[in-house]
Amino acid sequence: MQKWPRNKFGSTNLVVARICWGCGPLGGVPDLGYVVPEERAIEILLRVFDSPINFLDTANFYGESESRIGKAIKLRGGLSEGFVVATKADRDRQTNSFSASQVRKSVETSCSRLGLKHLPLVYLHDPEYHPLYVSDRKKAMQEILAPNGPVAELEKLRDEGIISYIGISGGPINMLIEFISTGRFDALITHNRWNLLWRGADPLIDKAREMGLGIVNAAAYASGILAAGSVNGARAAYQTPTTEIMKKVKGMESVCQKYNVPLAAAALQFSLRDNRISSTAVGISRVEEVEATLRLAEIALPEKIWSELDMFAIGDEDPEKNRWK
């Protein structure tokens, strides 16, 4: 299989491909809209390990994702040199607690599931779910950043040699800007806020680039609709699309039909063509999507398509604005 360009991941020593395999769907989590049997998940992962992409993303919360990755690694006889498995430290499922002990437990569980003694990159996952975030964001952030809090615990795990780099992954843009401005993070994941539909992450990406962070842009397909198109059952930012969103997507489809290119290719390349972004996370749930994704990335698109697609963007409105007021 052909080679794929790789680049330095921010200021870290990691070198990653411009595409990152998103392994959330491989956990078989119905709440995320995916039911992937273990046999198929492992088949996909073995294909991933043979692909030219050396970067995958998972999380403690993604059902059986980490366990299945661990089984695939074992079946393959280990990871290739330079392959980067990134995961996320998650809150307690019952209480939403982000305590130091919970973060350590999450990381240790991830190591066990993956069968890895060392993790190159671990993100603090979705701090907006902190119990105080909605009512008192300032206090929630103080607790997360406290000397005995979850970020400090990730720093201890780094000092102990269990992880190499610390990232943050979440939704609300202003919150993430505040977190990365502390200088305590090496990497960032933003999702659903930098794609053909939603453009709210622009100032966040600028700030992260300015600070030398590795930047992963997730949900280039806006959680599905920019790949599936304006069909019944398509999801937009994990929700049923509104009439306005469907109208926007149909407009984008008409532009792509004019140039005889797939909407999915334009959606993926919108992220890939942004030089600020280190890697674009693409979720996969079928074996054929591995090669299909690489093909979409290589389809030649005319430069003028971008200004025409921009006309249908919703803009910087937050797709989850009603959740995190």
Side-chain angles (χ1 to χ4, degrees):
M1 190 175 286
Q2 67 188 64
K3 293 183 178 180
W4 193 261
R6 297 180 182 181
N7 60 111
K8 193 169 183 290
F9 190 64
S11 299
T12 75
N13 290 325
L14 304 176
V15 178
V16 301
R18 295 275 290 169
I19 286 176
C20 171
W21 300 122
C23 295
L26 303 186
V29 186
D31 289 349
L32 295 177
Y34 298 99
V35 180
V36 179
E38 181 175 288
E39 183 178 350
R40 193 210 307 176
I42 291 176
E43 182 184 4
I44 293 167
L45 287 161
L46 292 174
R47 185 70 60 87
V48 160
F49 291 142
D50 286 335
S51 80
I53 306 302
N54 71 325
F55 194 15
L56 66 76
D57 175 82
T58 184
N60 192 292
F61 253 27
Y62 294 164
E64 296 300 315
S65 177
E66 290 179 327
S67 297
R68 292 173 176 183
I69 292 168
K71 289 177 182 178
I73 291 172
K74 188 174 181 180
L75 279 172
R76 198 172 184 273
L79 290 171
S80 301
E81 184 178 355
F83 198 98
V84 177
V85 175
T87 191
K88 305 181 187 78
D90 276 295
R91 64 194 186 276
D92 181 272
R93 293 175 184 269
Q94 278 70 49
T95 66
N96 283 343
S97 165
F98 278 97
S99 66
S101 60
Q102 168 58 28
V103 162
R104 180 170 287 269
K105 177 183 176 183
S106 180
V107 171
E108 290 174 347
T109 301
S110 294
C111 286
S112 177
R113 289 172 174 170
L114 292 164
L116 301 174
K117 294 180 179 179
H118 174 265
L119 301 173
L121 175 59
V122 176
Y123 301 89
L124 182 70
H125 195 193
D126 288 346
E128 62 267 30
Y129 282 91
H130 187 287
L132 294 176
Y133 181 78
V134 174
S135 61
D136 191 343
R137 188 173 97 183
K138 182 177 180 180
K139 187 172 182 181
M141 294 188 67
Q142 285 175 342
E143 290 189 3
I144 290 169
L145 295 167
N148 60 345
V151 176
E153 195 67 21
L154 287 172
E155 290 167 341
K156 288 181 183 177
L157 288 161
R158 180 191 59 199
D159 294 343
E160 293 168 15
I162 295 172
I163 65 179
S164 289
Y165 299 104
I166 300 167
I168 188 160
S169 172
I173 297 303
N174 289 336
M175 175 201 74
L176 290 172
I177 289 174
E178 288 184 56
F179 272 120
I180 67 171
S181 295
T182 65
R184 297 173 71 179
F185 298 94
D186 305 298
L188 164 76
I189 294 180
T190 180
H191 66 85
N192 280 298
R193 290 158 175 84
W194 189 245
N195 53 51
L196 288 177
L197 278 171
W198 287 289
R199 311 290 176 89
D202 197 34
L204 170 64
I205 294 170
D206 273 344
K207 183 66 175 178
R209 177 65 177 266
E210 174 192 322
M211 298 191 68
L213 273 65
I215 303 168
V216 175
N217 185 37
Y221 299 137
S223 302
I225 196 166
L226 294 177
S230 56
V231 298
N232 289 335
R235 303 276 284 174
Y238 314 124
Q239 304 166 64
T240 301
T242 63
T243 301
E244 179 195 9
I245 290 172
M246 289 295 276
K247 184 177 179 180
K248 298 282 189 182
V249 173
K250 287 178 181 178
M252 291 179 182
E253 287 176 321
S254 67
V255 172
C256 290
Q257 288 166 6
K258 172 182 172 181
Y259 292 105
N260 194 30
V261 297
L263 174 60
L268 177 59
Q269 291 188 38
F270 172 84
S271 182
L272 291 176
R273 72 196 294 267
D274 190 331
N275 290 329
R276 300 173 301 171
I277 293 168
S278 308
S279 194
T280 297
V282 179
I284 46 174
S285 58
R286 300 192 304 272
V287 175
E288 57 268 25
E289 289 174 342
V290 176
E291 281 77 17
T293 298
L294 301 181
R295 288 196 298 270
L296 288 171
E298 295 182 333
I299 291 173
L301 302 182
E303 186 61 32
K304 57 187 174 181
I305 198 173
W306 302 113
S307 60
E308 295 184 37
L309 289 170
D310 286 346
M311 295 172 61
F312 297 98
I314 294 170
D316 61 2
E317 176 183 309
D318 193 316
E320 297 181 284
K321 62 181 179 181
N322 294 324
R323 182 180 297 181
W324 308 116
K325 290 183 178 178

